[in-house]
């Protein structure tokens, strides 16, 4: 036993003295008081006993990245099973899995986390595992990995584990790399001048002498293609290219050898080369005349024209342009992913966007509720005061079993997104309109009978309550039920939207005759197909839309359903595109955009009716009763967005096309959209590097600078995008790493495109060239010994071993002493004895049970000496002589009663004394 505070034992001296001076009246009370005081003082001294621990914590750190060998999942599960079977009842087994991030699994016997697997944050995982072991506990880490790591070096954590007494064991799992032909590295300039020629040097590692096919593509064109003889070892390949102008060129280098390659992922490399100077404008158009492009070029602007189908959308493409002009292009031609890229690029990277109008733009073009809708300075809602006629619309929704499938990234099922689309249509309608909803599988189900919109809106839950059932959708039954509802409509304009799975639309029946009857009754039918035009039932749906006189929409992304339903409603209402000659009136806002005053322009022949958003500024108005914005602008995040609701180049341009200042107007609007090229002061330099899975952005200041340091630390806005996914934004602050350097470091995934943007006070946002990793570092042809060496160093520094025998893991836990404090037990015992003392004082119960221990002291049972001296001895003897002699038998009985009477008298005296003490207290 150990006393943590032995100094408290000195209290025993004054307490013992006090007990001697003021003793309790009986032996029992003295004993109880002594024990209570001894227990209290001992408790103050904090006694503890030390016992060896019988159990501890084992944390398994499991690598789930792409660099792991085939079948690693089964091997890791087997390790977990063996550890779980051999652990004791008090043993604790935890599981930390990691790839690009580390996380504690909810169960130590299964993997519930999902990862991209494009990085190996071994350092983060080991640090997380160490944090799970109690500071005063016994534990070990067992790392199941190939030892490859990205991000921070995990080696220093071995010394941290050693300082805590936690050994790190490991079991090496690695992929065989025999016959691995790999692209090791590509040396290419990050940025070149326009027209500059430059070299691209590729390093290829070959396992043997062999011929390999090599192809280098840049900007969508083949730069080099052919066959090369490779030698065993490292080979150097040199390519040459020339910059065609400002912008960013995306390169793809592919190599293929003669023999089978176990790791194909490192045969394709991606990298970017940016050109300095003023970046061009990208004009997205399907017009064959290119009249707008010619006007802009005459105004001195550099413009690149592309069809939306020929653009590889993504951050690597957008980073090469100063702005994007979308000229009367439907939203479905751009696609949802392109609109998401545009929106993120404008908001975060200070890009520019200009959208022109026409019958295939704004509301009729499907941009309402699209990813571009929130950043436009005009609103496309269908305001009821501008409606020309009332509408009766019936939705026939597929509720078959396929609608229960969840949609990736949405967190909703297909059916829930279809219900959301129905609510979107309902919200666009006015009280004068009618709305009905039919759910269809193998039979129709009237969910909302056709009725006034005001009545349906009173119970919106009915519209959102449609749930998937089973079977497929019977097209004829769906059209028949919808037609029966539409025939009861009060309004002249009647419309049906049929939503169906393009791969599960069955039983068309006599749909041709039914559609003919519906058309004669003034009922039009549009079709929204979930799938593509290549699906098995797509021809049927296309024929239904054609014969029904409506629109046909196909989409593979169920998140597009609300936008498509809204677009069809816009087209049926036919009130958002004003098709008549309309005067144009410039406002003072035009001067703030162009910096000059233009004469009033002639009229136009049509425009998209929209409404100015709050905080937006209008530069031109329509001269009709609507006074709607024709030119509006605002700042969307860090970027600029301008909306022209008229048609720039087409049949509705009208007399404006022949106006002498039309080129000047368009050049001024486009220049404002592109913005000014941002540059840093002379005493500052921005650099970015990408190495070992880490992006480092540095702001270097001139050591001999005369200007002051930034008053506020710069912010790094990083746009990161995985192929086929929308960009994600991340922010951090640059920190001082030396008197002249500010730096920020963020992890990168292998297949990501990274676009760093630095925001500085007084300088705005400055976009650095986009960067890509060659491929995921998980597939890099590194030396096999590097991973093994990393794990070996972790084990040696912390006292761990390469764990081959799993059964001995629990037995090898460090036997740390376990301290058990006795203070709570001592205090509880002291309280119990104190209660016993109170019981004794009040009742004498303990004394009565202990017998002789409760006898009073001699001083209490005999008279005082002074009293004895007053009684003469002779008198006592005379009394003895005068007493009559008792018979022998009576004398014997009297002698036997004397001890009992003496004991009873002693007890009575003790009770009287206790009573007097109680009354005094």
């Amino acid at each position: 036993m150990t006393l943590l505070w032995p100094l408290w034992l000195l209290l025993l001296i004054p307490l013992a003295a006090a007990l001697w001076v003021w003793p309790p009246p009986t032996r029992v009370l003295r004993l109880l008081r002594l024990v209570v005081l001894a227990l209290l003082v001992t408790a103050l001294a904090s006694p503890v006993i030390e016992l060896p621990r019988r159990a501890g914590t084992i944390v398994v750190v499991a690598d789930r990245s792409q660099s792991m060998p085939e079948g690693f999942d089964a091997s890791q599960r087997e390790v977990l099973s063996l550890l779980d079977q051999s652990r004791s009842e008090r043993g604790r087994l935890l599981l930390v899995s990691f790839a690009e991030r580390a996380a504690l699994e909810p169960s130590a016997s299964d993997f519930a986390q999902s990862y991209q697997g494009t990085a190996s944050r071994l350092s983060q995982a080991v640090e997380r595992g160490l944090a799970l072991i109690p500071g005063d506990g016994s534990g070990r880490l067992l790392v199941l990995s190939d030892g490859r790591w990205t991000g921070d070096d995990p080696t220093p954590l071995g010394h941290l584990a050693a300082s805590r007494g936690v050994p790190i064991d490991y079991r090496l799992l690695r992929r065989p790399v025999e016959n691995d032909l790999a692209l090791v590295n590509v040396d290419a300039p990050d940025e070149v001048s326009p027209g500059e020629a430059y070299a691209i040097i590729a390093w290829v590692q070959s396992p043997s002498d062999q011929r390999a096919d090599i192809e280098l593509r840049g900007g969508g064109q083949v730069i080099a293609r052919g066959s090369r003889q490779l030698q065993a070892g490292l080979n150097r390949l040199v390519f040459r290219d020339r910059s065609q102008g400002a912008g960013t060129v995306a390169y793809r280098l592919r190599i293929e050898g003669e023999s089978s390659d176990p790791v194909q992922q490192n045969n394709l490399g991606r990298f970017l080369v940016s050109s300095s100077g003023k970046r061009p404008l990208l004009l997205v158009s399907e017009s064959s005349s290119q009249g707008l492009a010619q006007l802009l070029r005459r105004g001195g602007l550099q413009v690149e024209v592309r069809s939306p189908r020929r653009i590889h959308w993504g951050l690597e493409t957008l980073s090469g342009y100063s702005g994007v002009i979308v000229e009367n292009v439907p939203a479905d031609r751009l696609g949802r992913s392109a609109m998401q890229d545009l929106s993120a690029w404008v908001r975060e990277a200070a890009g520019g966007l200009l959208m022109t109008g026409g019958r295939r733009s704004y509301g009729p073009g499907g941009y309402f509720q699209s990813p571009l809708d929130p950043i436009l300075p005009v609103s496309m809602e269908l305001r009821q005061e501008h409606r020309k006629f009332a509408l009766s619309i019936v939705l026939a929704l597929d509720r078959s079993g396929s609608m229960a499938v969840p949609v990736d990234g949405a967190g909703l099922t297909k059916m829930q997104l279809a219900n959301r689309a129905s609510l979107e249509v309902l919200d666009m309608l006015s009280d004068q309109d009618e709305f009905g909803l039919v759910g269809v599988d193998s039979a129709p189900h009237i969910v909302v009978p056709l009725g006034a919109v005001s009545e349906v809106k009173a119970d919106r839950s009915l519209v959102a309550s449609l749930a998937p059932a089973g079977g497929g959708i019977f097209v004829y039954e769906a059209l028949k039920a919808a037609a029966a509802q539409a025939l009861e409509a009060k309004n002249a304009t009647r419309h049906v939207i049929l939503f169906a799975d393009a791969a599960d639309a069955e039983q068309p029946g006599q749909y041709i005759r039914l559609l003919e009857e519906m058309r004669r009754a003034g009922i039009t039918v549009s079709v929204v197909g979930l799938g593509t035009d290549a699906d098995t039932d797509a021809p049927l749906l296309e024929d239904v839309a054609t014969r029904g006189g409506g629109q046909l929409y196909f989409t593979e992304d169920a998140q597009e359903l609300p936008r498509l339903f809204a677009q069809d409603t816009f087209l049926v209402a036919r009130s958002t595109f004003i098709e008549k000659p309309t005067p144009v009136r410039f406002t003072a806002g035009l001067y703030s955009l162009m910096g000059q005053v233009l004469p009033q322009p002639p009229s136009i022949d049509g425009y998209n009716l929209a409404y100015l958003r709050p905080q937006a500024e209008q530069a031109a108005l329509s001269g009709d009763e609507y006074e709607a914005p024709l030119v509006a602008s605002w700042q969307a995040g860090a970027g600029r967005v301008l909306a022209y609701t008229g048609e720039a180049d087409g049949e509705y341009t009208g007399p404006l096309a022949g106006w002498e200042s039309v080129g000047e107007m368009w050049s001024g609007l486009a220049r404002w959209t592109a913005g000014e090229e941002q540059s840093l002061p002379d005493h500052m330099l921005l650099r970015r590097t990408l190495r070992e899975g880490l992006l480092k952005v540095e702001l270097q200041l001139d050591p001999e600078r005369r200007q002051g340091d930034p008053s506020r630390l710069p912010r790094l806005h990083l746009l990161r995008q995985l192929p086929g996914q929308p960009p994600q934004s991340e922010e951090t602050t640059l920190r001082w790493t030396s008197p002249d350097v500010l730096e920020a470091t963020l992890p990168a995934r292998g297949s990501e495109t990274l676009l760093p943007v630095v925001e500085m006070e007084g300088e705005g946002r400055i976009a650095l060239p986009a960067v890509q990793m060659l491929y995921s570092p998980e597939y890099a042809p590194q030396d096999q010994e590097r991973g093994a060496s990393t794990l070996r160093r972790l084990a040696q520094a912390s006292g761990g071993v390469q764990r081959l025998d799993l059964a001995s893991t629990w037995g090898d836990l460090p036997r740390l002493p376990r301290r058990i404090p006795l203070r709570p037990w001592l205090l509880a015992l002291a309280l119990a004895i104190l209660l016993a003392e109170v019981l004794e004082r009040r009742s004498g119960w303990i004394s009565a049970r202990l017998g002789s221990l409760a006898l009073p002291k001699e001083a209490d049972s005999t008279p005082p000496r002074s009293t004895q001296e007053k009684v003469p001895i002779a008198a006592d003897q005379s009394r003895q002589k005068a007493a009559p002699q008792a018979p022998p038998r009576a004398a014997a009985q009297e002698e036997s009663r004397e001890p009992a009477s003496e004991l009873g008298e002693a007890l009575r005296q003790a009770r009287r004394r206790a009573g007097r003490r109680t009354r005094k207290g």
Side-chain angles (χ1 to χ4, degrees):
M1 186 175 69
T2 304
L3 298 178
L4 300 180
W5 302 96
L7 195 63
W8 286 103
L9 295 180
L10 295 176
L11 280 177
L12 290 174
I13 298 175
L15 291 176
L19 193 62
W20 176 263
V21 175
W22 298 286
T26 67
R27 296 176 183 176
V28 172
L29 290 175
R30 286 199 299 271
L31 178 62
L32 292 175
R33 181 69 55 83
L34 180 63
V35 173
V36 168
L37 294 177
L39 289 174
L40 289 177
V41 173
T42 307
L44 289 174
S46 298
V48 294
I49 58 174
E50 294 185 354
L51 299 176
R53 290 186 182 272
R54 297 183 178 179
T57 303
I58 291 180
V59 181
V60 178
V61 178
D63 190 346
R64 310 290 291 178
S65 64
Q66 294 174 346
S67 66
M68 296 297 290
E70 185 177 356
F72 76 94
D73 183 72
S75 300
Q76 291 181 349
R77 292 178 187 276
E78 182 182 2
V79 169
L80 293 172
S81 177
L82 291 173
L83 287 174
D84 187 53
Q85 293 173 7
S86 59
R87 72 185 176 98
S88 64
E89 293 183 359
R90 298 185 180 181
R92 195 164 64 126
L93 180 63
L94 300 175
L95 175 60
V96 173
S97 59
F98 72 96
E100 76 279 4
R101 60 184 178 86
L104 174 65
E105 296 285 355
S107 171
S109 59
D110 196 12
F111 295 95
Q113 305 287 338
S114 60
Y115 301 106
Q116 295 291 336
T118 55
S120 297
R121 311 290 183 208
L122 179 58
S123 175
Q124 186 184 71
V126 172
E127 191 172 4
R128 183 69 184 274
L130 288 173
L132 293 173
I133 297 178
D136 59 347
S138 173
R140 299 185 81 95
L141 258 64
L142 175 59
V143 180
L144 308 178
S145 173
D146 59 358
R148 294 194 180 201
W149 54 270
T150 52
D152 297 330
D153 186 355
T155 305
L157 292 176
H159 302 286
L160 175 63
S163 67
R164 292 191 48 195
V166 180
I168 300 178
D169 301 334
Y170 70 95
R171 174 172 277 200
L172 189 62
L173 304 173
R174 58 187 176 186
R175 180 172 50 204
V177 293
E178 291 79 7
N179 299 321
D180 181 20
L181 176 67
L183 181 62
V184 177
N185 191 27
V186 172
D187 295 328
D190 290 336
E191 193 171 10
V192 296
S193 301
E196 177 185 351
Y198 52 91
I200 299 173
I201 302 175
W203 300 92
V204 179
Q205 179 175 292
S206 177
S208 60
D209 295 344
Q210 61 177 317
R211 292 197 69 81
D213 295 329
I214 300 172
E215 180 184 79
L216 175 64
R217 286 180 170 269
Q221 299 179 350
V222 176
I223 306 299
R225 179 186 290 161
S227 179
R228 300 283 183 92
Q229 179 65 38
L230 302 179
Q231 298 179 347
L234 203 59
N235 297 266
R236 181 173 178 263
L237 305 177
V238 181
F239 307 93
R240 299 189 182 278
D241 198 10
R242 181 182 295 274
S243 171
Q244 301 301 318
T248 301
V249 180
Y251 288 93
R252 302 289 184 271
L253 177 59
R254 179 181 294 276
I255 56 174
E256 291 187 9
E258 297 175 332
S259 58
S260 61
D261 194 338
V263 187
Q264 293 284 337
Q265 291 85 351
N266 56 26
N267 293 1
L268 174 64
R270 307 158 60 243
F271 57 97
L272 303 174
V273 176
S274 299
S275 297
S276 59
K278 181 68 176 178
R279 294 171 294 169
L281 284 163
L282 173 63
L283 176 58
V284 184
S285 175
E286 294 181 316
S287 173
S288 57
S289 65
Q290 294 193 7
L292 180 58
Q294 293 174 11
L295 288 175
L296 296 176
R297 287 176 181 138
R298 289 196 203 109
L301 294 171
Q302 186 180 355
V303 181
E304 183 178 330
V305 183
R306 287 196 191 183
S307 169
R309 298 295 189 185
R310 297 185 57 190
I311 301 176
H312 177 73
W313 293 100
L315 294 180
E316 67 269 23
T317 298
L318 291 172
S319 65
Y321 298 101
S322 59
V324 175
I325 303 173
V326 181
E327 184 192 5
N328 197 22
V329 176
D332 58 352
R333 296 294 179 87
L334 288 180
R336 182 179 179 83
S337 61
M339 291 188 285
Q340 289 174 331
D341 295 347
L342 269 171
S343 179
W345 175 68
V346 168
R347 287 180 179 275
E348 302 295 336
L353 173 65
L354 191 159
M355 178 176 284
T356 71
R359 279 206 170 276
R360 297 182 296 175
S361 186
Y362 292 99
Y367 287 96
F368 181 67
Q369 296 293 343
S370 73
L372 288 183
D373 187 7
I375 69 171
L376 291 175
V378 293
S379 170
M380 293 172 280
E381 74 242 50
L382 194 60
R383 291 191 178 177
Q384 308 310 326
E385 61 266 26
H386 294 160
R387 293 279 303 279
K388 300 300 184 183
F389 43 79
L391 171 66
S392 296
I393 189 167
V394 179
L395 307 182
L397 302 187
D398 182 355
R399 54 166 290 181
S400 61
S402 61
M403 292 298 107
V405 177
V407 177
D408 292 340
L412 301 170
T413 64
K414 295 178 181 179
M415 191 77 262
Q416 289 172 323
L417 288 169
N419 291 341
R420 183 173 293 182
S422 302
L423 289 172
E424 193 67 57
V425 173
L426 179 64
D427 291 337
M428 294 174 65
L429 301 178
S430 66
D431 292 345
Q432 62 183 340
D433 298 321
E434 292 179 311
F435 179 88
L437 178 61
V438 179
V440 186
D441 41 54
S442 55
H445 308 272
I446 306 301
V447 181
V448 178
L450 185 68
V453 167
S454 58
E455 297 177 0
V456 179
K457 286 183 177 179
D459 191 2
R460 294 166 54 90
S461 60
L462 285 176
V463 181
S465 64
L466 191 59
I473 177 172
F474 285 16
V475 173
Y476 177 78
E477 296 296 333
L479 293 174
K480 183 179 177 182
Q485 291 283 304
L487 286 172
E488 299 177 0
K490 300 176 182 178
N491 300 319
T493 304
R494 305 168 180 178
H495 185 63
V496 173
I497 298 179
L498 173 66
F499 166 63
D501 193 327
D504 195 23
E506 309 175 84
Q507 302 293 332
Q510 301 296 321
Y511 79 97
I512 297 178
R513 185 179 65 183
L514 177 60
L515 287 171
E516 184 63 30
E517 294 175 356
M518 292 174 68
R519 196 159 190 173
R520 284 198 297 266
I523 303 172
T524 57
V525 179
S526 292
V527 177
V528 179
L530 191 58
T532 67
D533 55 4
D535 288 333
T536 55
D537 297 317
L540 169 62
L541 299 181
E542 184 176 359
D543 194 45
V544 169
T546 302
R547 295 179 183 275
Q551 305 296 317
L552 175 66
Y553 311 91
F554 282 116
T555 180
E556 293 182 278
D557 186 0
Q559 297 183 71
E560 286 279 79
L561 293 178
R563 183 185 67 81
L564 295 178
F565 277 50
Q567 180 180 356
D568 192 64
T569 306
F570 269 110
L571 293 175
V572 174
R574 300 185 187 280
S575 62
T576 60
F577 188 80
I578 307 302
E579 211 176 321
K580 65 178 183 179
T582 305
V584 179
R585 180 163 53 90
F586 287 150
T587 69
L590 186 69
Y591 182 81
S592 64
L593 292 179
M594 302 181 56
Q596 60 179 344
V597 178
L598 295 178
Q600 290 298 324
S603 64
I604 57 177
D605 286 350
Y607 69 96
N608 295 91
L609 181 60
Y611 309 95
L612 191 71
R613 292 188 190 271
Q615 300 180 353
E617 184 177 1
Q618 53 189 1
L621 301 175
S622 65
D624 56 8
E625 69 272 20
Y626 300 125
E627 294 188 341
L630 295 178
V631 177
S633 63
W634 73 348
Q635 196 85 13
R640 299 178 171 188
V641 182
L642 189 145
Y644 176 71
T645 59
E647 190 170 22
D649 182 20
E651 61 175 311
Y652 297 103
T653 307
L656 185 69
W659 183 40
E660 65 275 6
S661 299
V662 67
E664 196 172 357
M665 181 192 77
W666 278 113
S667 298
L669 297 180
R671 279 196 180 89
W672 181 89
T673 302
E676 297 295 329
E677 195 73 21
Q678 296 289 337
S679 60
L680 283 173
D682 294 338
H683 69 287
M684 294 183 180
L685 175 65
L686 269 175
R687 295 182 61 233
R688 58 107 178 96
T689 56
L690 183 60
R691 187 175 295 111
E692 293 290 352
L694 289 176
L695 174 69
K696 180 186 295 185
V697 176
E698 291 181 333
L699 176 62
Q700 300 178 355
L701 305 179
D702 187 353
E704 300 179 359
R705 60 188 178 276
R706 296 182 179 178
Q707 297 89 337
D709 294 336
S711 58
R712 281 177 26 187
L713 293 177
R715 298 282 298 171
L716 172 62
H717 302 262
L718 180 65
L719 275 176
R720 51 172 82 235
Q721 183 179 32
L722 289 167
Q725 297 186 17
Q728 301 294 324
S729 177
E730 187 174 348
E731 293 185 21
T732 189
T733 302
L734 274 69
R735 304 292 183 184
W736 290 101
T737 57
S738 74
D740 304 317
V741 178
L742 293 105
E743 180 182 301
T745 303
L746 290 173
R749 301 183 182 95
S751 54
E752 276 185 328
T753 299
L754 305 173
L755 180 58
V757 182
V758 177
E759 181 181 8
M760 298 184 58
E761 186 178 12
E763 304 295 336
R765 294 196 183 189
I766 301 171
L768 296 172
V771 63
Q772 291 177 334
M773 297 188 70
L774 198 61
Y775 48 76
S776 173
E778 298 294 296
Y779 303 110
Q782 299 173 350
D783 183 4
Q784 288 276 31
E785 280 304 309
R786 183 193 178 194
S789 176
T790 299
L791 297 178
R792 190 163 48 248
R793 289 197 302 271
L794 279 173
Q796 290 175 350
S798 62
V801 296
Q802 183 175 4
R803 183 62 61 180
L804 301 177
D805 181 15
L806 294 173
S808 62
T809 307
W810 293 102
D812 291 343
L813 281 171
R815 296 301 181 185
L816 299 179
R818 178 180 53 159
R819 286 185 170 182
I820 300 177
L822 299 181
R823 176 185 288 180
W825 302 99
L826 294 176
L827 291 176
L829 183 57
L831 178 61
I833 296 177
L834 181 61
L835 294 176
E837 182 182 344
V838 173
L839 177 64
E840 170 64 16
R841 284 180 177 276
R842 289 186 173 273
S843 64
W845 182 84
I846 298 177
S847 300
R849 294 294 181 274
L850 293 180
S852 61
L853 289 178
L855 288 175
K857 295 184 297 182
E858 291 183 14
D860 296 330
S861 59
T862 59
R865 179 171 299 179
S866 58
T867 306
Q868 291 179 8
E869 291 176 353
K870 293 178 183 180
V871 180
I873 297 176
D876 184 68
Q877 291 176 354
S878 64
R879 281 196 300 269
Q880 290 179 1
K881 291 179 180 180
Q885 295 294 324
R889 183 173 181 179
Q893 292 177 351
E894 184 67 20
E895 289 175 2
S896 64
R897 283 196 300 266
E898 283 180 359
S901 61
E902 292 177 0
L903 178 60
E905 181 62 25
L907 290 175
R908 282 191 295 274
Q909 291 178 8
R911 283 196 292 271
R912 283 195 297 270
R913 286 194 297 271
R916 286 195 299 271
R917 285 194 297 270
T918 303
R919 286 192 296 273
K920 290 179 181 179

